[in-house]
Amino acid sequence: MAARDVVILGVGLHRFGRFPEKRLEDMAREAALIALKDAGVEYKDIEAGFCGHVLPGTAVGLRVFSELGLTGIPVTNVELACASSSRGVMLAADAIAGGIYDLALVIGAEKMERGLLGGGLEASYQSLMGLFIMPGAYALMAHRHMHEYGTKPEHFAKVSEKSHRNGALNPYAQYQQPLSLEEIMNSRMIAEPITLYQCSPTTDGASAVVVASAEKARQYTGKPVYLRAWAGATPIYQRDEPELSEGPTDIIARKCYEKTGAGPEDIDVAQVHDAFTPGEILGIEHLGLVPEGEGGPFVWEGGTEITGKMPVNTDGGLLSRGHPLGATGGAMITELTRQLRGEAGPRQVQGAKTALLHNAGLGGVNVMILQS
Amino acid sequence: MAARDVVILGVGLHRFGRFPEKRLEDMAREAALIALKDAGVEYKDIEAGFCGHVLPGTAVGLRVFSELGLTGIPVTNVELACASSSRGVMLAADAIAGGIYDLALVIGAEKMERGLLGGGLEASYQSLMGLFIMPGAYALMAHRHMHEYGTKPEHFAKVSEKSHRNGALNPYAQYQQPLSLEEIMNSRMIAEPITLYQCSPTTDGASAVVVASAEKARQYTGKPVYLRAWAGATPIYQRDEPELSEGPTDIIARKCYEKTGAGPEDIDVAQVHDAFTPGEILGIEHLGLVPEGEGGPFVWEGGTEITGKMPVNTDGGLLSRGHPLGATGGAMITELTRQLRGEAGPRQVQGAKTALLHNAGLGGVNVMILQS
């Protein structure tokens, strides 16, 4: 077992949106300087860097960290598609728990291009069948859920309505205005039942997270939030999930619950990977936050609202806050950290003490439990 | 400090070369199965995966590990250009040292395209000046060395002559025949003084390394080699090296020597990053294996031969064994592991007990010390 407690000591974002005039490095530097200030840590004291970035480009981590200063620290580029920067935080946590470092900085940054994302590499059966086209994959999962549990198209649309309402409370969000359920359901059909406004947008942005040993954190002015458990996974054969490309969320969530001694009933606020609206409904079920099959009605009846029984994606989520692939995981951690510190302003979940993160990417899924 | 000893328990390669008919995944599977067999480990017992891969492609790690079985383990894609898979081994070692895992598999795999490698991202001053064109960058370093120390063009060519002679002894090498000094010096000029046969070739291939806790390793049939120290770095400002994009090899080598209690005089065999011939001469100096400025004559007089005072790149190195970016670091570890086990056949350095690895990439450098 890991020997030492790990904390999130500082977090920061560059606003998510479209910034054609800005360099990736400029956005990354802004997020990193905010996180360092938030942590009360000077950059020169950072011992290791990790950079979550997805779209083609070598040495992105070096370029990004060079903007802060060339201090000689090792910098590792971590790629796990939409789950890159949360995996970066997990690798930092692995090393910090084991005593390799005391202070690490994880930067996630992305400038996206318009259009569908490529799946990469050579053609496989799945890619030829279109199963790596993300809205298509999520639509198939949605249909299965509708067939098995009676989930309705408006349940999915409700996820986006709630997310855009939350995003309007978040100055860092790409979209900061509410959308009505009608606007969402009547927007262009992408992959039935998923309409345009049920898809995460194309986004530029950056996130940064300072990870520290709990012991070291005591020297700084930041307000540490404990990273109590973290686990990653890939799909398991014979579990009807290889096509998800993400893996057994239920298994690793259970592992995290066991490690912390908390259960789903103890989670006060969650970030759930809502790249497309079905993701949030399926996610809360896989994480054990609602019983299997009950996600649709739960969302419809307000259960995931900031003031609901189980607040989810309080910052607008991928749908409204935006989804700059490599930066997304760090943004999720940023929101949960602010919630656990009671610093989320109009988005604050009252009395939040335990938070859950679920960040899925093509190639794996990450789950974390954070506690104040 | 890290709590537990870490070992290299198994290693494997797919032959390096040009394999247009093979999928990346096929090469990776072959290397991985050899490494698992070598370790005496069943794939189902592997707890975490890392995939070193550089050229564009998302979820490469998932695809590669899926070929071995979908067991649900976390798989992380690690990119550090030519130093990707050795960084993967270092991340595995970080987590194993800290008790997060006991058994990890690191696969490096690449299928390269002809032509110069792209630097990635947006234009910077350095890229506009051509400083990210690798033979040009190495040529500038070579000229500085020639100016300061009187190093001669034939000293650099000698590195390649020795490497190709060693590669001829390695059935996994891309090139398996010697080249004469004349052939090397008379080959096409690429960036003076670097001729064509002083450049690492375009290569396809895969490497695999099973990393384990020393405690766990005792359950298996493999012959563990201790990974005594590892460190990574990026360039340091005001050290005249930012343009190298690799970093302070001397500092991290010293850190590793201190950690192991060994000094440069204790190194029996080394892998030094010879993407271009000046790399080996500068590398052995930065690593402290020969005094600053004496690398050229040392190589010329046979010091780096298998039977020399300080054997370097016994397997043919990047120049002859080949350099499939993401797979290179794992191949270096494979050769050093075989040397330390006394299994290097005609390339064996007699009585090798302590080995040094130096793997440099655009974005960082890695140094390791391994011991039998």
Side-chain angles (χ1 to χ4, degrees), chain B:
Chain B
M1 290 303 300
R4 308 195 307 166
D5 283 339
V6 177
V7 302
I8 305 298
L9 191 60
V11 291
L13 297 179
H14 179 284
R15 186 182 162 179
F16 284 12
R18 293 300 269 166
F19 304 100
E21 77 288 2
K22 285 200 175 178
R23 294 159 66 237
L24 180 90
E25 294 91 332
D26 293 333
M27 296 190 294
R29 185 183 59 241
E30 186 175 316
L33 290 175
I34 292 170
L36 288 165
K37 190 176 175 193
D38 185 49
V41 168
E42 286 186 75
Y43 177 65
K44 68 176 176 55
D45 295 325
I46 295 291
E47 296 164 273
F50 296 85
C51 179
H53 176 263
V54 180
L55 299 175
T58 304
V60 175
L62 175 65
R63 290 185 185 213
V64 157
F65 278 81
S66 293
E67 297 269 328
L68 297 164
L70 290 162
T71 58
I73 58 169
V75 174
T76 303
N77 300 291
V78 180
E79 190 267 309
L80 198 69
C82 315
S84 295
S85 50
S86 59
R87 181 58 57 89
V89 168
M90 289 166 60
L91 295 175
D94 285 348
I96 288 170
I100 308 285
Y101 308 115
D102 279 300
L103 276 173
L105 175 61
V106 182
I107 298 177
E110 205 81 53
K111 280 189 77 164
M112 292 175 68
E113 289 180 13
R114 293 184 66 173
L116 278 174
L117 294 167
L121 273 193
E122 296 155 42
S124 65
Y125 170 76
Q126 283 149 310
S127 60
L128 290 170
M129 293 290 286
L131 291 174
F132 278 130
I133 296 173
M134 283 297 125
Y138 276 88
L140 287 173
M141 293 188 274
H143 273 286
R144 178 67 179 242
H145 206 266
M146 291 162 78
H147 172 74
E148 291 198 357
Y149 303 113
T151 309
K152 294 178 180 152
E154 54 264 39
H155 294 164
F156 298 118
K158 180 73 178 172
V159 169
S160 182
E161 189 267 336
K162 182 264 302 177
S163 286
H164 280 84
R165 201 151 20 78
N166 290 354
L169 304 174
N170 180 1
Y172 287 91
Q174 181 166 5
Y175 297 113
Q176 301 184 2
Q177 57 184 46
L179 286 174
S180 71
L181 201 66
E182 288 69 32
E183 285 176 295
I184 292 162
M185 294 197 68
N186 293 334
S187 64
R188 182 155 56 92
M189 184 59 70
I190 301 299
E192 202 271 310
I194 302 171
T195 59
L196 180 65
Y197 295 160
Q198 297 185 59
C199 303
S200 55
T202 302
T203 313
D204 305 328
S207 62
V209 179
V210 176
V211 192
S213 63
E215 196 185 331
K216 186 77 172 179
R218 290 191 198 102
Q219 299 177 17
Y220 295 93
T221 59
K223 303 177 192 170
V225 161
Y226 287 84
L227 183 53
R228 292 289 186 202
W230 60 93
T234 44
I236 297 179
Y237 188 61
Q238 288 180 334
R239 259 186 120 243
D240 287 338
E241 64 179 13
E243 70 278 10
L244 303 191
S245 303
E246 294 171 359
T249 297
D250 55 341
I251 293 178
I252 57 170
R254 200 156 56 233
K255 189 170 156 185
C256 287
Y257 291 137
E258 280 167 15
K259 190 175 171 195
T260 54
E265 65 284 359
D266 298 310
I267 303 302
D268 299 311
V269 56
Q271 286 272 340
V272 177
H273 198 82
D274 60 334
F276 301 90
T277 51
E280 185 169 308
I281 289 179
L282 274 70
I284 56 176
E285 295 181 6
H286 295 159
L287 294 162
L289 300 175
V290 300
E292 188 78 18
E294 295 180 19
F298 186 80
V299 165
W300 182 254
E301 289 156 18
T304 56
E305 301 285 340
I306 290 171
T307 54
K309 195 177 160 210
M310 181 60 256
V312 173
N313 295 330
T314 47
D315 63 347
L318 281 59
L319 291 164
S320 171
R321 184 201 64 226
H323 181 29
L325 314 181
T328 290
M332 289 179 150
I333 294 168
T334 296
E335 176 68 6
L336 295 180
T337 299
R338 289 183 175 152
Q339 288 284 352
L340 293 177
R341 288 180 186 167
E343 294 176 352
R347 307 186 308 281
Q348 184 64 47
V349 172
Q350 293 308 314
K353 301 280 183 220
T354 300
L356 182 69
L357 173 142
H358 165 253
N359 187 194
L362 184 66
V365 64
N366 300 324
V367 169
M368 292 181 185
I369 293 178
L370 298 92
Q371 288 183 317
S372 57

Side-chain angles (χ1 to χ4, degrees), chain A residues 106-313:
Chain A
V106 182
I107 298 177
E110 205 80 52
K111 280 189 77 165
M112 292 175 69
E113 290 181 10
R114 293 185 65 173
L116 277 173
L117 295 168
L121 272 193
E122 296 155 43
S124 66
Y125 169 77
Q126 283 148 311
S127 59
L128 291 171
M129 293 290 286
L131 291 174
F132 278 129
I133 295 172
M134 284 296 126
Y138 276 88
L140 288 173
M141 294 188 273
H143 273 285
R144 178 69 178 242
H145 207 267
M146 292 163 77
H147 172 76
E148 291 198 358
Y149 303 114
T151 309
K152 295 179 180 151
E154 53 265 40
H155 295 162
F156 298 118
K158 180 74 178 171
V159 170
S160 181
E161 190 266 334
K162 181 263 301 176
S163 287
H164 281 85
R165 201 151 19 78
N166 290 353
L169 304 174
N170 180 2
Y172 288 90
Q174 181 166 8
Y175 297 113
Q176 300 184 4
Q177 57 184 48
L179 286 174
S180 71
L181 201 65
E182 289 69 33
E183 284 175 295
I184 293 162
M185 295 197 69
N186 294 333
S187 63
R188 183 154 55 93
M189 185 58 71
I190 301 299
E192 203 271 309
I194 302 171
T195 58
L196 180 64
Y197 294 160
Q198 298 185 58
C199 304
S200 55
T202 301
T203 313
D204 306 327
S207 62
V209 180
V210 176
V211 192
S213 63
E215 196 186 331
K216 185 79 173 178
R218 289 190 200 103
Q219 299 178 16
Y220 294 94
T221 59
K223 304 175 191 171
V225 160
Y226 287 84
L227 183 53
R228 291 289 186 201
W230 59 94
T234 44
I236 297 179
Y237 187 61
Q238 289 179 335
R239 256 184 124 246
D240 288 339
E241 65 178 13
E243 70 278 11
L244 302 192
S245 304
E246 295 171 0
T249 297
D250 55 343
I251 293 178
I252 57 171
R254 201 156 55 234
K255 191 171 154 183
C256 288
Y257 291 136
E258 280 167 14
K259 189 174 171 196
T260 54
E265 66 284 0
D266 298 310
I267 303 301
D268 299 311
V269 56
Q271 285 273 340
V272 176
H273 197 82
D274 60 333
F276 302 89
T277 51
E280 185 168 309
I281 289 178
L282 274 70
I284 57 176
E285 295 182 5
H286 295 159
L287 294 162
L289 300 175
V290 300
E292 188 78 17
E294 296 181 19
F298 186 80
V299 165
W300 182 254
E301 289 157 17
T304 56
E305 301 285 341
I306 290 171
T307 54
K309 194 177 160 209
M310 180 62 255
V312 174
N313 296 329

Side-chain angles (χ1 to χ4, degrees), chain A residues 45-120:
Chain A
D45 295 325
I46 295 291
E47 298 164 89
F50 296 85
C51 180
H53 177 262
V54 180
L55 299 176
T58 303
V60 175
L62 176 64
R63 291 187 183 210
V64 157
F65 278 81
S66 293
E67 297 269 329
L68 298 164
L70 290 162
T71 58
I73 58 169
V75 174
T76 303
N77 300 292
V78 180
E79 190 269 308
L80 198 70
C82 315
S84 295
S85 50
S86 59
R87 181 59 56 88
V89 169
M90 288 166 61
L91 294 175
D94 285 348
I96 288 169
I100 308 285
Y101 309 116
D102 279 300
L103 277 173
L105 175 61
V106 182
I107 298 177
E110 205 80 52
K111 280 189 77 165
M112 292 175 69
E113 290 181 10
R114 293 185 65 173
L116 277 173
L117 295 168

